[in-house]
Amino acid sequence: IQKAKDDFTHHSQSTHQLSPSFFCAFNLTASQIESNEFIDKLLLIFTGYQGFVAAFEITERQKFNDEEAAKHNLGRLQSCGYQIKLDDAGTGYGGFNYFLHFNIDSIKIDKMFIDIIGQADLKISVLNAIIDMAKSLELTIIAEGVETQAQVDFLSEKGVDLLQGYYFSKPVPYDQLNMGGKD
């Protein structure tokens, strides 16, 4: 996390400021979220930082041992203006529990749901239900693993807010990242 902050700080000092809407999301494990000390370090790292908007993603793939501590620490992050995203939505332990107990700002729909777009698969109803639920909760919806024009068209038609995946770009090292500048 510190390295990402340092890289972006160097970039904005040497070239240009990032767009105010540019965000960088960091995955956090359940044990990190439950740790007051870890959250204290995160808050210290980003105190006064004006580069990118930091967002933190929790995944459903690891179970919380102490949901009260997790809820408290996620609330601490949100009270400082950080967004909390649910990564891999629909794939693991959390289910609807995360929506009931944590104040989630957005969800990331896992690639396994995106892969069924354009196929004659009854599971498309699950994808539609995830999108509809997220809309009714007024969450920002992110689809990950987008690889085809058919997926882009379907997700855009459904009103999914953000799309990410190989259709747009394969992962690149930081020094090859194009942030819209002239360099």
Side-chain angles (χ1 to χ4, degrees):
I1 294 174
Q2 183 67 51
K3 174 140 177 47
K5 179 186 166 199
D6 292 346
D7 286 344
F8 282 101
T9 298
H10 174 74
H11 172 82
S12 62
Q13 289 172 347
S14 64
T15 57
H16 61 280
Q17 290 294 94
L18 297 170
S19 162
S21 63
F22 188 91
F23 71 90
C24 189
F26 300 95
N27 286 12
L28 301 180
T29 66
S31 59
Q32 288 171 325
I33 294 168
E34 292 169 337
S35 168
N36 290 331
E37 295 79 21
F38 183 82
I39 300 303
D40 289 342
K41 287 179 187 176
L42 274 183
L43 293 172
L44 186 61
I45 287 170
F46 288 110
T47 297
Y49 182 66
Q50 299 294 316
F52 54 79
V53 176
F56 299 102
E57 297 181 0
I58 56 177
T59 179
E60 288 190 288
R61 296 186 190 264
Q62 186 182 30
K63 187 176 180 181
F64 284 110
N65 293 317
D66 185 347
E67 283 192 16
E68 284 305 311
K71 184 177 180 179
H72 171 75
N73 283 330
L74 291 172
R76 289 174 60 202
L77 291 170
Q78 286 178 309
S79 71
C80 292
Y82 302 111
Q83 289 189 348
I84 303 300
K85 301 174 183 293
L86 178 60
D87 194 13
D88 305 323
T91 63
Y93 290 104
F96 293 108
N97 182 47
Y98 283 17
F99 295 103
L100 292 173
H101 293 101
F102 305 125
N103 186 22
I104 304 295
D105 296 301
S106 63
I107 66 165
K108 291 180 78 175
I109 301 172
D110 191 81
K111 182 182 183 328
M112 74 178 208
F113 294 107
I114 305 309
D115 287 343
I116 62 175
I117 295 172
Q119 299 177 19
D121 193 322
L122 295 176
K123 291 180 230 157
I124 198 74
S125 296
V126 175
L127 174 60
N128 286 330
I130 292 170
I131 293 169
D132 290 344
M133 181 192 65
K135 283 183 173 183
S136 71
L137 294 172
E138 298 179 5
L139 302 175
T140 300
I141 307 169
I142 305 163
E144 57 185 7
V146 177
E147 296 179 350
T148 69
Q149 183 65 53
Q151 292 169 338
V152 170
D153 294 344
F154 178 91
L155 295 164
S156 296
E157 183 178 303
K158 292 289 185 180
V160 173
D161 301 296
L162 300 168
L163 310 177
Q164 73 179 59
Y166 282 11
Y167 180 82
F168 304 101
S169 174
K170 291 185 178 182
V172 295
Y174 175 82
D175 62 348
Q176 295 175 24
L177 185 62
N178 179 352
M179 291 179 270
K182 295 179 181 178
D183 49 276

